[in-house]
Amino acid sequence: MRFSHFVLRRWLYSVLVLFGLSILIFIIARMLPGNPARLALGPFALQEQVEHLQHLMGMDKPLPLQYWTYITGIFRGDFGLSFQTRRNVALDIAHYLPATVELVLIAIVWVLVLGVPLGVLAARYKDSWPDNLVRVMAFIGVAVPPFVVGLVLQLIFSYLLGILPTTGRLSLTTPAPPLRTGLLLLDSLIEGDFSALGDALKHIILPSFAIAMTGIGQIARLTRASMSDVANQDYIEASRGFGIPNRVIAFKYMLKPASIPPLTILGLTFASELSNAFLVETVFAWPGIAKYGIRAILRKDFNAVMGVVLIIGLAFVIVNLIVDILAGYVDPRIRIKHEEGE
Amino acid sequence: MSTRPSYHQATVRLNERRWMGIKDRLGRGWYKFRRNPISLAGGVMVLLFVLLAILAPYVTPYPKHAGAFTDFQNAFQAPSKSHWFGTDALGCDVFTRIIFGSRISFMLAAVVLGISVPVGVFLGLISGYMGGKTETVIMRVTDVFLSLPALVMALAICAAFTPSIDKAMLAVASIWWTWHCRLVNGITRSIKTEEFVQASKVLGASPLRIIFKDILPNCASPLIVKITLDAGFVILVGAGLSFLGLGAQPPAEDLGTMISFGAKYLPERWWMTVFPSLAIFFIILGFNLLGDGLRDVLAVEEGV
Amino acid sequence: MEGKVILDMRDLHVWFRVYEGVSRVLDGVSLYVRGGEHVGLVGETGCGKTVAMKTAMGILRSPPALFPQGQVLLAGRDVLKATPIELLRMKGKTISMIFQDPLSALNPVFTVGQQIFDVIRFGHRWIRDDDALTKTKVRRIAVEALTSVRLPDPERILSLYPLELSGGMRQRVLIAMALVNRPRLLIADEPGSALDVTIQAQILSLLKSLVKEAGIAVLLITHDLGVVRETVERVYIMYAGRVVEEGRTVEIFDDPKHPYTQGLLSSVPRLTGKVLAEGIPGTLSDYTEAPSGCRFHPRCPRAMEKCTQQKPPMVKVSTKQHVACYLYHGGGR
């Protein structure tokens, strides 16, 4: 089958998996011992009020029907009501999502800008001190819990050096640019508001780096391994034999095949960044969807939890799709294997 | 010409040669392990921490401070000779609580892996060997569990319960089996078609025998590496859950909880956060180094 | 058509430092190739011929490899002592190589065109002809090269990836890449042995005609005696890192002197006469603990006391034939 068909099939399957996920979480959520309606209204509410809310939320209907109502609601854009904010969870998500998106995007920039060059450096000076240094750094990056990274960064840069702010996306004294995409950096750029841009940048550096630490470690190690793998290949030897200079071999003939394994784990890196976001957003009081999700979990706000879970699942699917396409583009072997009907 | 050897004889000979192969590989592996500073460091670290954790009541200066103990007069003391890592908000010795806290972490790892590895391996073997509908069903289920990052999934599952350490353990264990299942499934599928498995079939071995004698040993090395690395990762996820308030609840001495508690008092009373952070970092690092070293030693490819 | 000596390997020793100790792979290899000559290097797998070849090309990585003794003169200059820039100039122009397995020798993520363009651009051969090497010119040279190896529709092939070509086509592409810069010496490492026998025959005959047209010297490395007989005038027989016999192909095949050569030739199944082939008992020994003296003595049916003590030197047994064996020491039999 053709490569594009393959990708499409993968995507459809992922959507199916998302459905499975929604069923799983739905069941878990609804199976809670105790009464969510009562939890929402508090212990002093009257029994009739609790029952009324239960009826409103449709909790007196059989489980499969509840699920059906919920799913069809999703497609209409109705994610149910949040207990905390009393409004459609979809609106909540739209409100909080851009902050996390911005954070994760900048984190990916960190990963590419630091992780890949470090890996290349380590491969180039294999077994001597730059290699060992990078390997140690990668190990540390993967082993440190992200919230610890966040706290340490705060300690150093905010408390000790005082050059970067501790929490939030913007200082209280800086007015926010008008809301267009929700991405502060982009919005302030569009508006030409450079003081807001600078302030937003200062706020985003630390949390995005904390999120990126794991990914930097992973990518650096994989780049190093794959570069040194490629360096041992026959075709590199052959290129040397044909008289191609080392510089060209390194930056063209080794880099391209070596970039394929890191590319394929980009999906995993994104996953680790998302999960790190849950920890880091708490440390930096970042008003993103992860923080919203944590609050929802602690307060048993089920519609909110479902909404967050589904959005993250969807984000995952989209990222994996992009990674698949990119990988097929860079590595013709993947494309061709599928076109031959593997 | 002797008659065709019985299955038993053939297996004995095959196993002999396999054993020689393993001995040689182990010898070579030990040589590499000894010479590799990374794996050695990891192994030492893990050993040290585990020993400390096991001997906790005997090696800590204030064993009673673990758990619910208060001494407000001595609260918030900076590190000193009597309290190496200082005291926390309740007056408990931080050093003692860290050692006892590491116990919780190790217990978490042991319980989670103790449940998820057998389940995962079992399901992986079955699905890989039987193929067809069984495999499809099992793999689809793992796909659903893997559709979210581990921490996020654990969070979502914890949402259904009141936060406590055992619920957290259960939540993590209920996700973790999927990775082992996938790993074993992959190996089983690729080995299933190899010639020595076909040979066993021809010699008349029952499926159970094939699974245990031919397939399982081949999973051993990647599994060992994965379990070691997983231990570190499980502890990481567990610490994250506690930090967010979903695992061990205060005043439990879990490391994540200690860090979250102590974070409120930054930066002046730094010792309440810094030392537990260091402890958990070194524990996780130890497992990672060990796992990586084992990967080299047992010659497993990257990506496990 | 004999010309000056292009490749002159003198008493080359190559060692590798490994886990078990030091692997002394090449233990004094001497051979030479003159302009326009076709020379064969025969030996079983593991005898060190690939190592010798890679040393000649200058692509052996030096930290694991050690060169305790010997020289490798390429057009007069010692490869072992040359600077990287000098080496770079020689590759492709003076000496070029064809690998055994065409699939692993081509970079899978680049098109044939991209790879061959770079070989042309960096080959230093064409830059002198013009002041600028334009894209069109490079393309034209590439198409000519592909045509010369009898590839159909070369324009289309330039845009294909290695995976999209058949094995035979890949080997032809490799040959084109090796010859496009008009080297004086081509080393062919078991060309076509990774392919079907029929394709291999095609490739070999293609090679033969190409080098004849261009007057390129060839060092053919192989374990296949049949190929040797058809294609080369002179042959070196290698065993365990040493040259044990050398001479004209005709003479060696008619009257092999070294016990190893005799064993090799009798290992080939024949269609007439004694049909069952006799092999050579034993296997190649480990290079970290190579046998003392003559490395063949553990497997030699005519080994003597002397053979275990000292390495036998090469002695002349006829005008063009030399053997390294104590059987012929002292004037031959």
Side-chain angles (χ1 to χ4, degrees):
Chain A
M1 73 181 90
R2 296 207 50 228
F3 183 62
S4 49
H5 288 181
F6 166 74
V7 171
L8 201 66
R9 232 176 66 146
R10 272 266 294 227
W11 200 40
L12 284 172
Y13 175 67
S14 308
V15 172
L16 234 84
V17 168
L18 268 184
F19 272 113
L21 177 67
S22 65
I23 295 179
L24 180 69
I25 303 296
F26 196 85
I27 293 178
I28 292 179
R30 293 292 192 261
M31 272 168 52
L32 165 81
N35 195 327
R38 160 136 327 262
L39 277 169
L41 294 174
F44 297 111
L46 296 169
Q47 186 61 20
E48 300 105 51
Q49 288 173 312
V50 173
E51 281 172 13
H52 182 63
L53 186 58
Q54 271 184 294
H55 181 73
L56 257 178
M57 285 167 43
M59 284 192 327
D60 43 358
K61 303 207 189 78
L63 213 59
L65 190 57
Q66 286 188 44
Y67 179 73
W68 179 252
T69 328
Y70 182 72
I71 287 293
T72 45
I74 297 269
F75 285 109
R76 277 184 286 118
D78 175 13
F79 277 60
L81 288 170
S82 156
F83 289 157
Q84 309 167 59
T85 60
R86 307 274 193 261
R87 60 177 178 175
N88 190 344
V89 166
L91 289 174
D92 280 348
I93 292 180
H95 185 231
Y96 289 108
L97 188 61
T100 308
V101 167
E102 204 177 19
L103 203 55
V104 171
L105 282 178
I106 300 289
I108 293 187
V109 168
W110 278 115
V111 168
L112 291 176
V113 159
L114 280 184
V116 172
L118 280 176
V120 171
L121 200 73
R124 167 85 178 77
Y125 292 101
K126 190 167 181 198
D127 291 332
S128 66
W129 69 266
D131 179 24
N132 289 325
L133 187 63
V134 169
R135 288 181 74 186
V136 166
M137 280 166 49
F139 265 117
I140 294 181
V142 172
V144 194
F147 53 90
V148 166
V149 177
L151 289 172
V152 167
L153 286 176
Q154 274 185 334
L155 208 63
I156 299 180
F157 289 96
S158 300
Y159 295 124
L160 242 57
L161 298 177
I163 53 177
L164 289 174
T166 327
T167 57
R169 298 176 80 190
L170 272 186
S171 312
L172 291 169
T173 49
T174 314
L179 186 71
R180 289 210 183 88
T181 59
L183 300 177
L184 263 182
L185 295 178
L186 210 56
D187 285 346
S188 41
L189 201 63
I190 296 175
E191 190 68 14
D193 185 350
F194 288 109
S195 75
L197 181 65
D199 194 43
L201 269 173
K202 279 206 287 191
H203 276 89
I204 206 173
I205 287 187
L206 294 182
S208 58
F209 187 76
I211 289 185
M213 271 283 262
T214 330
I216 294 178
Q218 285 175 332
I219 293 281
R221 290 182 69 193
L222 198 54
T223 308
R224 172 196 179 274
S226 110
M227 275 292 269
S228 77
D229 233 6
V230 166
N232 285 329
Q233 290 290 327
D234 278 346
Y235 51 79
I236 297 295
E237 219 171 35
S239 311
R240 288 219 180 86
F242 291 135
I244 302 193
N246 272 329
R247 205 181 9 100
V248 175
I249 292 187
F251 286 106
K252 187 171 170 184
Y253 287 103
M254 290 215 282
L255 200 54
K256 199 171 177 201
S259 65
I260 292 161
L263 194 61
T264 53
I265 73 156
L266 219 53
L268 274 171
T269 316
F270 178 73
S272 75
E273 287 188 359
L274 265 181
S275 58
N276 293 348
F278 277 82
L279 301 167
V280 169
E281 282 193 7
T282 311
V283 170
F284 286 90
W286 192 266
I289 204 165
K291 190 148 163 292
Y292 174 72
I294 303 274
R295 263 208 327 244
I297 291 174
L298 287 172
R299 303 204 189 153
K300 305 269 181 275
D301 187 349
F302 291 114
N303 288 328
V305 172
M306 278 293 274
V308 171
V309 162
L310 285 178
I311 284 296
I312 292 191
L314 184 65
F316 217 17
V317 165
I318 293 178
V319 167
N320 279 328
L321 185 69
I322 295 178
V323 167
D324 275 342
I325 295 179
L326 267 176
Y329 180 68
V330 169
D331 186 358
R333 290 176 287 188
I334 299 179
R335 249 188 287 150
I336 291 168
K337 257 214 285 209
H338 291 293
E339 276 168 21
E340 280 175 13
E342 270 277 322
Chain B
M1 279 298 290
S2 57
T3 54
R4 197 165 67 99
S6 71
Y7 175 70
H8 175 73
Q9 282 176 308
T11 323
V12 165
R13 278 185 224 153
L14 274 173
N15 282 338
E16 262 170 22
R17 277 204 288 166
R18 202 179 289 152
W19 176 235
M20 300 292 269
I22 292 179
K23 270 208 296 203
D24 175 58
R25 271 198 347 238
L26 275 179
R28 202 175 272 234
W30 176 240
Y31 174 75
K32 281 173 93 172
F33 189 86
R34 260 187 307 141
R35 277 184 59 179
N36 186 347
I38 288 186
S39 44
L40 216 51
V44 165
M45 263 193 241
V46 170
L47 212 59
L48 189 66
F49 275 106
V50 169
L51 270 176
L52 277 178
I54 295 179
L55 301 173
Y58 307 107
V59 293
T60 50
Y62 301 90
K64 294 216 195 69
H65 285 203
F69 177 87
T70 56
D71 180 11
F72 290 106
Q73 290 215 316
N74 276 322
F76 298 122
Q77 285 199 358
S80 60
K81 270 226 198 86
S82 57
H83 293 279
W84 297 342
F85 288 173
T87 60
D88 66 4
L90 299 176
C92 304
D93 177 47
V94 171
F95 178 72
T96 310
R97 287 181 70 96
I98 288 182
I99 306 275
F100 276 90
S102 67
R103 271 188 161 187
I104 297 188
S105 302
F106 288 120
M107 199 171 57
L108 175 72
V111 167
V112 168
L113 289 176
I115 298 178
S116 56
V117 170
V119 171
V121 169
F122 177 67
L123 287 176
L125 282 173
I126 291 190
S127 72
Y129 189 72
M130 308 218 323
K133 282 228 177 87
T134 329
E135 180 179 25
T136 322
V137 165
I138 296 184
M139 284 295 114
R140 297 289 186 254
V141 171
T142 58
D143 279 342
V144 169
F145 275 96
L146 290 173
S147 59
L148 289 179
L151 181 66
V152 179
M153 199 69 181
L155 281 173
I157 295 181
C158 279
F161 307 103
T162 20
S164 80
I165 183 79
D166 29 319
K167 301 298 192 310
M169 275 196 228
L170 271 173
V172 177
S174 65
I175 309 165
W176 222 266
W177 65 270
T178 51
W179 291 10
H180 294 272
C181 180
R182 270 243 164 119
L183 178 69
V184 171
N185 178 62
I187 296 180
T188 310
R189 281 181 67 175
S190 64
I191 294 190
K192 202 168 53 160
T193 51
E194 292 248 356
E195 288 179 356
F196 66 91
V197 174
Q198 314 280 40
S200 295
K201 273 198 189 150
V202 163
L203 286 171
S206 72
L208 220 71
R209 235 186 170 147
I210 296 183
I211 288 184
F212 280 103
K213 290 249 170 84
D214 292 323
I215 299 184
L216 202 53
N218 278 283
C219 301
S221 298
L223 263 180
I224 292 179
V225 172
K226 181 136 184 66
I227 291 178
T228 313
L229 291 173
D230 272 358
F233 200 24
V234 166
I235 294 181
L236 184 63
V237 170
L241 285 176
S242 326
F243 180 76
L244 293 172
L246 288 161
Q249 299 295 302
E253 63 275 13
D254 176 274
L255 294 170
T257 322
M258 284 171 77
I259 297 178
S260 126
F261 217 55
K264 293 201 267 282
Y265 301 100
L266 279 179
E268 297 85 26
R269 300 187 176 121
W270 52 272
W271 56 91
M272 291 164 56
T273 323
V274 167
F275 289 115
S277 303
L278 280 174
I280 209 170
F281 165 61
F282 279 113
I283 292 178
I284 299 176
L285 184 67
F287 277 111
N288 280 4
L289 291 178
L290 184 61
D292 211 59
L294 281 175
R295 182 196 278 148
D296 269 342
V297 160
L298 296 173
V300 176
E301 326 81 51
E302 298 258 349
V304 169
Chain C
M1 245 217 87
E2 314 254 293
K4 281 197 322 184
V5 171
I6 303 181
L7 174 66
D8 193 358
M9 216 179 266
R10 295 181 186 173
D11 194 32
L12 179 65
H13 288 66
V14 179
W15 295 355
F16 289 90
R17 197 174 291 131
V18 287
Y19 158 67
E20 292 93 351
V22 176
S23 183
R24 293 156 212 253
V25 178
L26 293 187
D27 194 39
V29 171
S30 300
L31 56 86
Y32 67 91
V33 182
R34 282 196 287 252
E37 265 198 307
H38 297 181
V39 178
L41 183 58
V42 175
E44 59 191 90
T45 317
C47 73
K49 43 195 207 291
T50 313
V51 172
M53 168 198 79
K54 287 191 183 169
T55 316
M57 285 294 300
I59 59 179
L60 208 56
R61 286 241 184 137
S62 196
L66 304 161
F67 307 107
Q69 208 178 324
Q71 297 177 304
V72 178
L73 300 175
L74 204 57
R77 220 168 306 155
D78 189 356
V79 165
L80 300 175
K81 298 199 173 53
T83 64
I85 304 204
E86 289 176 331
L87 272 180
L88 206 60
R89 265 199 210 110
M90 289 196 276
K91 290 181 204 168
K93 238 179 44 181
T94 316
I95 186 171
S96 189
M97 189 173 69
I98 301 178
F99 279 77
Q100 190 171 341
D101 181 5
L103 182 56
S104 67
L106 287 171
N107 198 316
V109 300
F110 289 98
T111 60
V112 168
Q114 288 169 316
Q115 296 186 56
I116 198 171
F117 291 163
D118 273 340
V119 174
I120 297 172
R121 248 182 258 139
F122 292 105
H124 298 276
R125 168 66 69 191
W126 301 97
I127 294 183
R128 274 182 280 146
D129 291 328
D130 262 330
D131 31 349
L133 206 55
T134 60
K135 270 204 198 142
T136 21
K137 198 155 188 259
V138 171
R139 200 183 176 88
R140 185 173 51 82
I141 299 174
V143 170
E144 272 175 32
L146 290 183
T147 322
S148 71
V149 290
R150 305 197 198 128
L151 278 170
D153 199 358
E155 287 278 354
R156 193 181 73 96
I157 292 193
L158 286 178
S159 63
L160 291 179
Y161 287 93
L163 208 76
E164 298 176 288
L165 302 172
S166 73
M169 289 164 83
R170 280 180 221 136
Q171 190 65 290
R172 288 170 198 261
V173 166
L174 265 178
I175 295 176
M177 281 167 78
L179 296 180
V180 74
N181 288 324
R182 306 269 188 270
R184 288 167 63 192
L185 168 64
L186 176 71
I187 304 186
D189 187 7
E190 319 232 22
S193 67
L195 308 166
D196 276 339
V197 188
T198 42
I199 314 257
Q200 181 181 19
Q202 285 176 18
I203 299 289
L204 285 171
S205 80
L206 171 69
L207 258 182
K208 216 167 163 184
S209 61
L210 280 175
V211 297
K212 254 203 195 102
E213 281 169 34
I216 303 177
V218 176
L219 178 60
L220 183 70
I221 302 186
T222 180
H223 57 260
D224 187 338
L225 295 164
V227 167
V228 166
R229 197 167 193 165
E230 306 272 311
T231 42
V232 299
E233 302 126 25
R234 245 189 335 121
V235 69
Y236 289 90
I237 312 275
M238 248 182 102
Y239 179 78
R242 292 189 189 152
V243 175
V244 295
E245 188 163 0
E246 55 147 313
R248 291 218 308 259
T249 320
V250 181
E251 286 176 1
I252 300 243
F253 272 75
D254 272 344
D255 186 16
K257 299 276 195 283
H258 195 282
Y260 176 64
T261 323
Q262 293 166 350
L264 266 187
L265 286 168
S266 71
S267 303
V268 179
R270 267 163 249 267
L271 290 175
T272 55
K274 215 157 75 165
V275 177
L276 270 179
E278 301 168 6
I280 306 177
T283 50
L284 207 60
S285 47
D286 187 353
Y287 284 111
T288 47
E289 287 164 33
S292 57
C294 172
R295 282 185 174 182
F296 186 59
H297 79 250
R299 302 168 73 180
C300 183
R302 290 148 78 180
M304 308 179 290
E305 178 80 36
K306 217 179 189 181
C307 303
T308 62
Q309 289 160 355
Q310 254 195 2
K311 187 170 112 172
M314 286 287 259
V315 288
K316 204 164 173 163
V317 281
S318 72
T319 27
K320 296 264 179 171
Q321 204 169 350
H322 293 76
V323 190
C325 183
Y326 282 120
L327 288 171
Y328 305 93
H329 225 190
R333 270 171 153 228

